[in-house]
Amino acid sequence: MKAIELEKAYDPKSFEDRIYALWKDSGAFKPAGDGRVKGKTFTIVIPPPNVTGVLHLGHGLNNSLQDIVIRFHRMRGEQTLWVPGTDHAGIATQNVVEKRLRERGEDRRSLGREQFVEEAWKVTREHHGIISRQLARIGASVDWSRERFTLDEGLSRAVREVFVSLYERDLLYKGNYLVNWCCSCGTALSDDEVDHEDVPGKMYHIRYPVADSSGRADGSAGYIELATTRPETMLGDTAVAVHPEDERYRDLVGRQVLLPLTDRLIPVVADAYVDREFGTGVVKITPAHDPNDWDLAKRHELPVINILTAEGRLNGEVPAKYSGLTVKDAREAVLGDLTAGGYFIRDEAIRHAVGHCYRCHTVIEPFLSEQWFVRMKPLAEKALAAWRRGEIVFYPRKWENTYRHWLENIRDWCVSRQLWWGHRIPAWKCSACGETSVSRTDLSACPKCGSPQVEQDQDVLDTWFSSWLWPFITLGWENPSCETEDYKTFYPTQALITAYDIIFFWVARMIMAGMEFTGKAPFRDIYIHGLIRDKKGRKMSKSLGNGLDPLELVDEFGADALKYTLAFMCAQGQDLLVDRESFRLGSKFANKVWNAGRYILMNMEGRNILEQPELLPVDRWIYSRLNTAAKTMTEAFSSYRFNDAAISAYEYFWNDFCDWYVEASKLSIKGGDPDGEKDRAATVLLDVLAQSLRLLHPLIPFVTEEIYGKLPEECKGSETLLVNAAYPGYNEKLDDPENEAKFAFLQDLVRQIRTCRSECTITPDKKLRAFVTAGGDKAPFLAENAELVKLLAGLGELRTTSGEGGAVGAVTLAGTGWEALLFIGEAVDLKALRTKFEKNLGRDKQFIAGLEAKIANPEFVKNAPAELVEGEKQKLAEARERTGKIEAYLKGFA
């Protein structure tokens, strides 16, 4: 064969786009048989990114991990499908459209609903291409022919079917309830769409005068003191509450107090909800603007007074002087009037949790509103039962407790949103008879009275209402009798890979929907990965300026570097702390693979591929190491231990294959050619390279595919593309622990010689002598492989001896069952080296003493972060090892 030239420098930009197009155009991402297949399947549906968004590094992590798993299972011969798609993102997309309208001097009301929706579709079409291109850039091997969108016609029919079915099963209802209201977005939010943040605030202490029987202030009874963080809401108070066992207020229960700034009297009620140890033990009750007060009001049959408009201003239920004010302005006005009237006592600075809209970050207002709700408890019970039966498994297992706790304490889900973009609620109100009808088809007349005066509900469904159906509606489910080939073949799916911040939003709800409408859990494995943070442990955000754009990282380092680095750092149950420099790790590894492939291919000039080459001990060793790596990585991929797989790949390819086997092959490839030894060595080397590329492909797909494409056809088997080639399987017959143990001895010897050369600054051109004493079968094995050790360790002479004691100018190296004398005095100035070592030794001993004192300090161990303490202990161990080695070297100096 001819030598094959790869470019000298690893340049992923020169081939990544070409390789992706090759995969896509060849149909490599489609499951074999295109969905009408028999046998084992492996399916993932992508967590759909918002169509108006762009991929951030969290998406980069999530999609990289999915791609690794998909490529692994595809190479194992399973019928593998990764379904792509995007979410219509109700609030986010509507915000984008409204911003554009404001820039044009328009708003949605003036535009009208129909035109507004068309504008939203324009935005959707513009942004969709951006997301698709970004997924391709990072190498996502999704089946683009099956791409879905949550507002597709088929998905829309499925959403309507589910809504109507829930209504028919009495699992969906409409009513006036307290909801989380975003005044900026103008819509209700579910509990899971509210981000709670600790912010500075104030606790305001106020007097409520106790009333006498005539409704006037009872001077003898005085007043009740209470505290609140939201004094403006007192205008909607309908009671004050105390604990029934609180002796301080026993005589006041059943009496009334005057509500300051109003002409209303409100009762004093007793309820165990009140914490008598907190503050004064008195709580103001504002049912329309606090969820706990809402529950208490229902128990005591208290009136409910909503004092806010949907825009966040005070309404006509408050005294006229406050009507129309914003919440902020009303607070200032109320506090001023309380002070003037002698009701204000004091305030105190506090930090407290305040709910914010997850999308626009506006402070959330508890708001009384008529909304649609799903009864979640019956659905949650089925999802819990599936987990208890072992039908779903969390990786890591700790998330099972979170899942269980949330489902056991679940509240009904508010699914209506006061938006125009989304799945419009399929309910019609008849103005003639007042009947509300829910229907699978659009209504033109009231089913009850026949009147044509029916109007469809103006609201749309929560974005998550379509997303919770994603695993089965993306595969063609539209109703119980409509099951496509894809649905029958690929549902239920096998795995869900997602971040822990949407366990409630999405994961648990998908399981509930799957159990309710298909009778099956939608996936078996649930891998929950951590979040990406900066090196200081902070979440990445625009405000902090610490975000990293995955596409910029791909431009700088390549898609393989992005994927490999994230996998390497993704330990189960931990967040990832990264910065831009972190991705040099993946870049260096991909570069190593490139250089190894380039070296091997460029040295194949004139070589012939043999059918059954004889294997030398070093060949059997590398096959055994490859076999071990294949076993380790298969187990790691199968249990979603991405970092373990990445570490195993690194150790095998860099240490075993490159540093040892490729170097060892130089003896045969570049040496003489007795009996076709070069052809034999070249054949084995190419085969090991081909299998190594298969081993690494899920982690670094682009560079491995590019090199694999240059291999001789005889090395590839039946598949011309690596993406579809077979993953190396574990073969017990290739295990050779005895040979591995012998080579471990040689590796230890060479490693120690190399370390000594480095520490003594001996240049590679200086060839040293070494005398080795080894027990058992080590001595003859060393003699058989003397030329290999000399090559790898930079030795001019290597002897096996029976033990000759110390020697002038030599340092002693030792390992398990062996000892060696390395004659460094022939290559360096021992006197100068001794001076250098003694100086370093003195400095290191001072360093060790400081570390020992630090670690011995109980205050440091108690107060410092655990990782810092562990890091200091690691430094101490390394310093002790280093000084021990230098002291051993010094003993050999004259």
Side-chain angles (χ1 to χ4, degrees):
M1 62 178 286
K2 294 183 178 180
I4 300 169
E5 286 284 344
L6 291 177
E7 292 295 328
K8 185 175 182 180
Y10 166 64
D11 179 18
K13 289 182 181 178
S14 68
F15 58 83
E16 286 188 347
D17 288 347
R18 170 172 49 82
I19 290 292
Y20 193 85
L22 177 64
W23 287 332
K24 186 178 178 182
D25 294 343
S26 70
F29 300 158
K30 294 183 178 181
D34 196 30
R36 291 166 290 279
V37 295
K38 304 295 182 184
K40 190 173 183 180
T41 63
F42 187 87
T43 309
I44 292 179
V45 292
I46 197 170
N50 288 350
V51 72
T52 52
V54 292
L55 297 186
H56 53 65
L57 195 53
H59 292 115
L61 169 64
N62 181 255
N63 287 293
S64 291
L65 299 182
Q66 290 179 83
D67 190 57
I68 289 169
V69 171
I70 281 290
R71 289 179 184 274
F72 168 70
H73 284 276
R74 184 185 291 125
M75 294 180 75
R76 296 188 79 190
E78 299 168 28
Q79 309 305 324
T80 304
L81 173 61
W82 187 10
V83 181
T86 47
D87 193 292
H88 66 276
I91 295 177
T93 303
Q94 180 143 331
N95 284 344
V96 170
V97 177
E98 294 202 77
K99 182 180 179 182
R100 287 192 179 187
L101 292 178
R102 284 195 298 272
E103 290 171 354
R104 290 170 8 199
E106 299 177 284
D107 60 50
R108 64 169 168 145
R109 300 294 177 188
S110 63
L111 197 64
R113 184 167 194 146
E114 188 174 335
Q115 267 193 277
F116 181 88
V117 170
E118 182 52 42
E119 287 289 323
W121 274 110
K122 288 179 184 177
V123 170
T124 295
R125 287 188 283 269
E126 290 172 17
H127 282 259
H128 168 262
I130 297 173
I131 292 286
S132 300
R133 288 192 295 273
Q134 289 177 326
L135 284 172
R137 285 293 310 282
I138 66 174
S141 57
V142 296
D143 184 352
W144 290 108
S145 69
R146 288 174 165 86
E147 185 180 10
R148 305 307 298 267
F149 178 54
T150 50
L151 280 177
D152 283 349
E153 286 188 13
L155 273 65
S156 295
R157 286 192 292 271
V159 167
R160 179 175 284 201
E161 170 66 29
V162 167
F163 185 92
V164 176
S165 295
L166 288 171
Y167 186 80
E168 292 171 344
R169 299 173 191 182
D170 195 30
L171 293 172
L172 187 78
Y173 63 94
K174 190 176 188 181
N176 269 305
Y177 289 92
L178 202 62
V179 296
N180 304 298
W181 188 264
C182 175
C183 299
S184 176
C185 297
T187 184
L189 301 176
S190 67
D191 290 343
D192 312 314
E193 294 171 311
V194 178
D195 293 333
H196 291 276
E197 299 179 11
D198 277 341
V199 297
K202 288 185 177 181
M203 184 72 78
Y204 302 94
H205 291 255
I206 306 168
R207 294 186 178 97
Y208 281 26
V210 178
D212 60 20
S213 58
S214 65
R216 296 186 179 86
D218 186 344
S220 62
Y223 58 85
I224 286 180
E225 179 183 341
L226 51 80
T228 178
T229 58
R230 307 178 68 208
E232 70 283 357
T233 63
M234 65 175 289
L235 301 175
D237 286 0
T238 58
V240 295
V242 298
H243 194 278
E245 298 175 2
D246 194 332
E247 294 292 337
R248 293 172 295 176
Y249 306 111
R250 181 182 297 276
D251 294 339
L252 292 178
V253 174
R255 293 189 64 176
Q256 293 182 313
V257 295
L258 290 165
L259 181 62
L261 312 185
T262 75
D263 57 1
R264 290 195 291 116
L265 294 170
I266 58 176
V268 179
V269 299
D271 196 283
Y273 155 72
V274 179
D275 180 1
R276 52 188 155 175
E277 304 300 326
F278 181 77
T280 63
V282 182
V283 178
K284 61 188 287 296
I285 305 302
T286 319
H289 301 287
D290 183 279
N292 294 312
D293 293 1
W294 169 266
D295 292 337
L296 187 146
K298 286 195 292 185
R299 290 194 294 273
H300 294 271
E301 299 181 348
L302 298 173
V304 177
I305 301 174
N306 178 23
I307 65 167
L308 289 179
T309 68
E311 293 75 29
R313 294 180 178 273
L314 272 62
N315 61 23
E317 293 290 338
V318 301
K321 66 178 299 186
Y322 306 115
S323 181
L325 296 180
T326 64
V327 169
K328 181 181 177 182
D329 291 342
R331 180 172 301 177
E332 292 179 4
V334 165
L335 286 172
D337 290 343
L338 286 172
T339 302
Y343 301 111
F344 180 74
I345 301 173
R346 69 182 187 281
D347 61 35
E348 55 186 297
I350 61 167
R351 290 193 67 84
H352 60 147
V354 175
H356 293 76
C357 174
Y358 81 109
R359 180 55 56 188
C360 72
H361 215 61
T362 299
V363 172
I364 291 298
E365 294 290 345
F367 185 69
L368 185 63
S369 177
E370 188 177 41
Q371 303 287 341
W372 289 90
F373 294 84
V374 175
R375 299 187 202 280
M376 299 299 279
K377 189 173 182 180
L379 304 179
E381 288 170 351
K382 293 181 181 180
L384 276 169
W387 166 64
R388 292 189 176 109
R389 290 192 298 266
E391 294 171 14
I392 55 174
V393 179
F394 282 85
Y395 297 84
R397 299 295 289 264
K398 70 175 185 177
W399 292 111
E400 293 181 353
N401 292 329
T402 304
Y403 174 80
R404 176 185 56 77
H405 181 267
W406 189 69
L407 289 180
E408 288 178 347
N409 296 277
I410 200 163
R411 301 176 67 170
D412 287 354
W413 174 20
C414 175
V415 295
S416 45
R417 297 291 180 270
Q418 289 63 53
L419 306 172
W420 283 355
W421 174 244
H423 296 277
R424 193 165 176 181
I425 290 176
W428 284 259
K429 180 76 174 286
C430 176
S431 59
C433 69
E435 181 75 6
T436 295
S437 303
V438 169
S439 176
R440 290 175 175 82
T441 58
D442 289 355
L443 296 181
S444 57
C446 175
K448 183 179 180 181
C449 72
S451 170
Q453 299 178 39
V454 291
E455 182 180 5
Q456 187 174 359
D457 197 306
Q458 295 295 308
D459 293 348
V460 300
L461 288 164
D462 179 7
T463 297
W464 297 98
F465 194 90
S466 48
S467 299
W468 78 320
L469 314 175
W470 188 247
F472 52 92
I473 62 176
T474 51
L475 295 172
W477 186 98
E478 292 183 12
N479 59 64
S481 61
C482 175
E483 295 183 358
T484 63
E485 285 296 318
D486 271 3
Y487 177 81
K488 289 188 285 187
T489 302
F490 297 109
Y491 187 83
T493 69
Q494 278 61 54
L496 175 74
I497 297 175
T498 188
Y500 62 73
D501 56 344
I502 57 172
I503 289 180
F504 312 135
F505 276 121
W506 196 44
V507 179
R509 287 180 185 157
M510 282 192 291
I511 297 169
M512 287 186 267
M515 296 305 299
E516 182 67 24
F517 295 102
T518 73
K520 301 173 184 176
F523 28 72
R524 181 190 65 244
D525 299 341
I526 304 168
Y527 173 70
I528 306 292
H529 60 74
L531 302 181
I532 292 189
R533 301 179 182 274
D534 67 14
K535 287 290 188 177
K536 296 179 180 179
R538 302 174 301 178
K539 286 185 72 173
M540 291 189 171
S541 67
K542 290 181 180 178
S543 60
L544 291 175
N546 61 350
L548 294 173
D549 183 337
L551 278 302
E552 290 181 4
L553 295 172
V554 170
D555 284 338
E556 185 172 355
F557 301 108
D560 285 337
L562 176 77
K563 183 178 277 98
Y564 182 81
T565 301
L566 292 173
F568 191 94
M569 303 184 77
C570 190
Q572 279 195 8
Q574 298 179 28
D575 288 340
L576 290 74
L577 306 185
V578 301
D579 60 14
R580 185 173 295 276
E581 290 302 302
S582 301
F583 294 90
R584 295 196 182 279
L585 167 71
S587 180
K588 287 178 181 178
F589 185 58
N591 188 64
K592 185 75 171 180
V593 174
W594 180 266
N595 287 338
R598 180 175 182 274
Y599 166 78
I600 292 168
L601 292 173
M602 68 186 294
N603 281 284
M604 291 296 113
E605 181 72 39
R607 303 279 60 82
N608 297 306
I609 305 298
L610 307 181
E611 288 191 8
Q612 290 185 321
E614 179 187 354
L615 299 183
L616 300 182
V618 71
D619 303 322
R620 292 196 298 274
W621 170 78
I622 194 61
Y623 277 120
S624 182
R625 298 301 299 150
L626 173 64
N627 196 45
T628 299
K631 180 182 180 182
T632 301
M633 291 176 66
T634 294
E635 291 172 349
F637 285 140
S638 299
S639 55
Y640 309 97
R641 291 181 288 109
F642 296 97
N643 66 317
D644 288 345
I647 291 169
S648 179
Y650 187 98
E651 291 177 345
Y652 160 74
F653 193 85
W654 197 300
N655 299 336
D656 296 333
F657 182 67
C658 292
D659 286 2
W660 276 84
Y661 187 70
V662 173
E663 290 298 312
S665 71
K666 293 177 180 178
L667 291 173
S668 299
I669 298 292
K670 293 190 173 182
D673 192 13
D675 301 321
E677 171 59 16
K678 285 187 177 182
D679 288 343
R680 185 209 67 78
T683 300
V684 177
L685 183 58
L686 282 171
D687 182 64
V688 177
L689 174 62
Q691 293 201 47
S692 299
L693 294 173
R694 295 181 184 206
L695 185 79
L696 302 181
H697 179 77
L699 293 166
I700 45 172
F702 285 105
V703 68
T704 51
E705 185 74 76
E706 178 71 356
I707 298 170
Y708 192 82
K710 308 293 185 183
L711 296 180
E713 293 302 316
E714 300 94 319
C715 299
K716 296 181 183 178
S718 60
E719 296 290 349
T720 57
L721 288 178
L722 178 57
V723 67
N724 295 127
Y727 197 76
Y730 173 71
N731 184 346
E732 192 174 349
K733 294 180 181 178
L734 293 177
D735 269 350
D736 194 347
E738 184 178 342
N739 201 33
E740 283 202 38
K742 291 177 180 178
F743 270 92
F745 151 58
L746 297 188
Q747 286 180 300
D748 190 22
L749 172 62
V750 170
R751 194 175 292 114
Q752 290 204 39
I753 293 173
R754 285 176 171 176
T755 299
C756 184
R757 292 183 67 113
S758 174
E759 289 172 339
C760 297
T761 57
I762 299 172
T763 56
D765 60 301
K766 302 283 181 64
K767 303 302 178 185
L768 304 179
R769 287 188 301 141
F771 295 170
V772 181
T773 303
D777 57 2
K778 288 185 173 65
F781 188 73
L782 177 61
E784 292 170 14
N785 293 277
E787 292 303 312
L788 173 61
V789 173
K790 287 166 65 178
L791 172 69
L792 297 176
L795 299 178
E797 180 183 355
L798 173 63
R799 282 191 213 170
T800 55
T801 69
S802 56
E804 301 182 4
V808 175
V811 295
T812 301
L813 309 177
T816 304
W818 65 270
E819 190 173 278
L821 291 174
L822 185 64
F823 292 85
I824 63 170
E826 300 165 1
V828 295
D829 181 340
L830 288 179
K831 185 176 180 181
L833 189 60
R834 172 185 286 278
T835 301
K836 172 188 170 183
F837 277 172
E838 287 176 342
K839 180 180 178 181
N840 290 345
L841 195 61
R843 182 194 62 207
D844 283 350
K845 285 184 174 179
Q846 284 186 333
F847 181 65
I848 288 172
L851 283 175
E852 287 175 336
K854 194 175 194 179
I855 293 171
N857 183 350
E859 289 300 312
F860 170 72
V861 176
K862 177 182 176 182
N863 297 321
E867 60 269 21
L868 177 59
V869 175
E870 190 57 38
E872 296 299 277
K873 289 180 178 178
Q874 182 67 29
K875 288 179 187 177
L876 179 59
E878 291 171 355
R880 285 172 173 168
E881 181 182 0
R882 186 169 60 247
T883 56
K885 195 178 296 181
I886 291 175
E887 286 173 339
Y889 291 163
L890 288 171
K891 289 180 182 178
F893 291 1

